[in-house]
């Protein structure tokens, strides 16, 4: 099925570092969502973006809805150990198409 | 308030059997969607229900079906199970309509042997 292009696929973080990840698509979306998934659990919504150009923060997390409506990024500032997990972007076209289209995820691990 | 509840959490079935998974959405949420998550394919959309009607369907074979009850609870059924159906099945509910963030349950881990 169709998926968004999410990068990087994985990254190692050291406590205190800033982290960036992004999603791109060839299609336009009306809504961009960012989720975090811990092992054995369902994805948890972090940030929802509803308007092109919108920049939204949730604590140390900041996400933006690209102006072209085809991309979004998520930044995590001053990372902490509990930030490890898999982050997914998801796009929603809206209208009659109510299904989320997901990226393949960015796996955050602690730098050894 | 209670989140999205999926039962059972874990399930082991044999090839050829059928299985029914259950999802209780957040109270007041009328939209329920189902997703399949596998390491290879990631999160794939199965179907979405709103007010007991299937509104959208993903590209899965007819062995995968679902329904929604008047209290918004939903079930999905997989018949004639195949090894490739082993996955985490996630249910998500939304407050009212499309364009809202979906809240996911913890999922049902189905293993087909």
């Amino acid at each position: 099925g169709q998926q968004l292009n999410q990068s990087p696929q994985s990254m190692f973080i050291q406590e205190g570092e800033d982290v960036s990840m992004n999603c791109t698509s060839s299609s336009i979306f009306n809504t961009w969502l960012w989720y975090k998934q811990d092992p054995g659990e369902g994805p948890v919504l972090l940030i929802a973006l509803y308007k092109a150009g919108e920049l939204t923060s949730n604590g140390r997390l900041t996400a933006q809805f690209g102006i072209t409506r085809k991309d979004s990024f998520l930044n995590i500032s001053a990372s902490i150990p509990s930030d490890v997990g898999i982050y997914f972007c998801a796009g929603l076209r809206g209208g009659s198409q109510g299904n989320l289209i997901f990226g393949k995820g960015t796996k955050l691990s602690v730098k050894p | 308030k209670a989140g999205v509840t999926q039962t059972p959490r874990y399930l082991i079935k044999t090839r050829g059997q059928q299985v029914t998974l259950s999802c209780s959405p957040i109270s007041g949420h009328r939209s329920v969607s189902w997703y399949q998550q596998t390491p290879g394919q990631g999160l794939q959309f199965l179907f979405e229900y709103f007010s007991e009607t299937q509104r959208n369907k993903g590209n899965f074979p007819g062995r995968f079906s679902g329904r929604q009850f008047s209290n918004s609870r939903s079930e999905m059924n997989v018949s004639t199970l195949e090894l490739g159906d082993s996955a985490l099945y996630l249910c998500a509910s939304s407050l009212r309509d499309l364009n809202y963030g979906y809240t996911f349950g913890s999922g049902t881990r189905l293993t087909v042997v």
Side-chain angles (χ1 to χ4, degrees), chain A residues 35 37 40 95-96 98 100 104, chain B residues 9 35 37 40-41 56 98 102:
Chain A
Y35 287 88
Q37 187 175 27
S96 62
L100 290 173
K104 284 230 169 185
Chain B
R9 283 298 306 271
Y35 290 81
Q37 186 175 29
Q41 297 299 315
N56 288 286
L98 310 176
Y102 290 78

Side-chain angles (χ1 to χ4, degrees), chain B residues 2-106:
Chain B
V4 178
T5 303
Q6 291 188 247
T7 56
R9 283 298 306 271
Y10 302 93
L11 207 47
I12 300 176
K13 289 285 188 178
T14 305
R15 267 182 302 175
Q17 286 187 311
Q18 76 158 19
V19 67
T20 299
L21 311 181
S22 179
C23 172
S24 293
I26 291 173
S27 178
H29 285 198
R30 293 167 64 192
S31 169
V32 174
S33 302
W34 289 88
Y35 290 81
Q36 181 196 65
Q37 186 175 29
T38 59
Q41 297 299 315
L43 283 146
Q44 300 286 324
F45 171 72
L46 281 156
F47 24 67
E48 185 218 357
Y49 288 88
F50 183 81
S51 294
E52 301 179 67
T53 301
Q54 186 181 86
R55 198 155 58 168
N56 288 286
K57 190 175 190 305
N59 295 325
F60 278 81
R63 300 185 296 106
F64 292 81
S65 63
R67 58 178 177 168
Q68 186 180 32
F69 302 95
S70 59
N71 61 359
S72 292
R73 190 177 71 85
S74 177
E75 288 181 348
M76 68 162 280
N77 184 278
V78 188
S79 62
T80 321
L81 284 165
E82 300 176 0
L83 295 179
D85 297 333
S86 295
L88 180 67
Y89 289 88
L90 292 159
C91 166
S93 75
S94 179
L95 178 60
R96 185 193 72 189
D97 207 334
L98 310 176
N99 291 327
Y100 281 78
Y102 290 78
T103 301
F104 282 84
S106 296

